[in-house]
Amino acid sequence: MQQRHVVFVVYDGFQSLDLVGPYEVFQYAGRATGGYACDIVAPLPGSVRSSSGLPVHVRHGIADLAPDGVDTLVLAGGRGVYQARHDPGLVRWVAAAGAGARRVASVCSGAFLLAAAGLAEGRRVTTHWARAGQLAEEHPGVRVDRDPIFVRDGNVWSSAGVTAGMDLALALVEDDLGQEVALSVARYMVLFLRRPGDQSQFSVALWSAQPSTDPIRAAVRAIHGDPGAPHGILDLARHAGLSPRHLQRRFTAEVGTPPSAYVERVRVEAAQRALAESDDPVDAIARRYGFGTAETLRRTFHRRLGIAPSDYRDRFRSTKEYL
């Protein structure tokens, strides 16, 4: 198998996991198949300090690593990107390497360097949710989507923050070498599951506000305690000790989403876990978590995740070992 040259770009103040997570994914896949050769490049060779203070020794500076011949260019994010994107030599190198590469990827705020090099213009990209507004404001020609774990637009890939870089790298490996290899890498690295790109950056625990009063906390506990139980507005009002109208208003104000939408999202996450971790039939999972029928579960998955439950399960299950 011909090796693909994967080059990671770092700079002072990069986020160490934006480099190390994806790098290890490609290294494991390369070890199993011989498919990758990885390099790291920085403005100057030598010790490059990450945002956490962890130093990384980089063999190549942009002056001694030619920008041609790169198969996959990966731009790490981190607080230092705001200075790095104003380094004309680095930006020129990234632009030249990206123009010739088969594909370009950014992790987290690496999207700012992607945009500075002109590689994101007219593209749909994502970044860490906390940086999406700034990216959209500073680069109006870039279509910023703050929600997905990762996005592919043609040969430009981008991901949300930190651990999402590993999801992105696994998707790149799958694109090259197939699902079996990607899932074997995920298992070897003990990743809980490999998330599809259109899954939101925000799990229920992250995207919702925490309730500030005991009645709403009681309703939220009831939902999480048994996602498949009846959780209509009357049921939740009984848990909260409020009238249905009062519950509806206070729940929406405190949690940031109406009760029905919150219940659906909790049920979808419960079904995702069941699909990934068990062999239970889809219709049984649908009944267990309050969807009633497999068809209702399928429609909900398509609307929220852009994928069918059976396809979601197939993404995370494999029988063939490569590592």
Side-chain angles (χ1 to χ4, degrees):
M1 178 183 295
Q2 183 178 358
Q3 286 191 324
R4 299 173 172 90
H5 191 201
V6 183
V7 176
F8 296 83
V9 177
V10 298
Y11 39 80
D12 284 331
F14 75 96
Q15 163 61 251
S16 56
L17 197 54
D18 287 2
L19 166 68
V20 175
Y23 188 95
E24 291 296 332
V25 169
F26 281 107
Q27 284 288 78
Y28 279 128
R31 196 175 305 158
T33 65
Y36 298 108
C38 298
D39 277 316
I40 307 172
V41 67
L44 295 171
S47 181
V48 180
R49 190 177 179 86
S50 72
S51 58
S52 66
L54 179 71
V56 172
H57 181 77
V58 178
R59 288 192 305 154
H60 298 291
I62 56 176
D64 63 82
L65 185 66
D68 55 339
V70 177
D71 176 85
T72 301
L73 184 68
V74 183
L75 311 177
R79 291 196 300 268
V81 76
Y82 302 114
Q83 182 173 347
R85 63 181 172 157
H86 295 302
D87 179 337
L90 178 62
V91 171
R92 281 195 301 269
W93 191 95
V94 169
R102 180 169 62 95
R103 60 191 177 189
V104 183
S106 64
V107 181
C108 192
S109 54
F112 285 88
L113 185 53
L114 186 77
L119 300 172
E121 193 69 17
R123 303 282 192 168
R124 175 176 171 247
V125 303
T126 194
T127 186
H128 192 285
W129 60 267
R131 301 289 177 260
Q134 179 186 355
L135 182 64
E137 182 179 350
E138 294 182 359
H139 297 278
V142 177
R143 294 183 288 121
V144 180
D145 188 342
R146 70 189 297 269
D147 195 53
I149 295 292
F150 63 85
V151 165
R152 178 184 186 178
D153 188 340
N155 71 331
V156 175
W157 301 62
S158 55
S159 79
V162 199
T163 58
M166 288 183 279
D167 295 293
L168 172 64
L170 285 165
L172 293 169
V173 168
E174 180 176 342
D175 192 53
D176 290 336
L177 305 175
Q179 184 183 95
E180 297 280 348
V181 176
L183 292 181
S184 291
V185 172
R187 285 197 303 273
Y188 191 83
M189 296 182 69
V190 200
L191 297 176
F192 176 64
L193 62 86
R194 189 178 62 77
R195 300 170 289 183
D198 284 339
Q199 181 172 321
S200 174
Q201 294 185 38
F202 311 104
S203 69
V204 169
L206 296 176
W207 57 257
S208 62
Q210 295 302 304
S212 57
T213 63
D214 288 339
I216 305 306
R217 290 191 193 102
V220 168
R221 280 197 302 270
I223 296 167
H224 285 279
D226 186 359
H231 291 310
I233 192 67
L234 294 176
D235 304 294
L236 294 177
R238 283 195 295 271
H239 287 295
L242 302 172
S243 70
R245 181 177 297 182
H246 197 190
L247 181 279
Q248 177 82 22
R249 183 171 62 251
R250 285 182 54 179
F251 192 105
T252 304
E254 292 185 29
V255 179
T257 190
S260 59
Y262 190 93
V263 169
E264 181 179 83
R265 195 150 187 181
V266 171
R267 286 174 171 171
V268 166
E269 289 195 358
Q272 286 176 275
R273 289 193 296 271
L275 288 164
E277 298 170 11
S278 77
D279 295 318
D280 295 342
V282 172
D283 58 348
I285 292 172
R287 291 193 301 272
R288 183 186 312 150
Y289 293 114
F291 294 96
T293 67
E295 177 59 22
T296 301
L297 178 62
R298 187 192 66 80
R299 289 198 305 267
T300 306
F301 260 54
H302 268 293
R303 174 164 45 82
R304 284 202 169 269
L305 305 177
I307 188 173
S310 57
D311 292 335
Y312 185 94
R313 167 173 274 167
D314 288 343
R315 284 177 180 262
F316 308 128
R317 301 181 68 82
S318 177
T319 58
K320 187 174 182 181
E321 292 290 345
Y322 279 78
L323 297 174

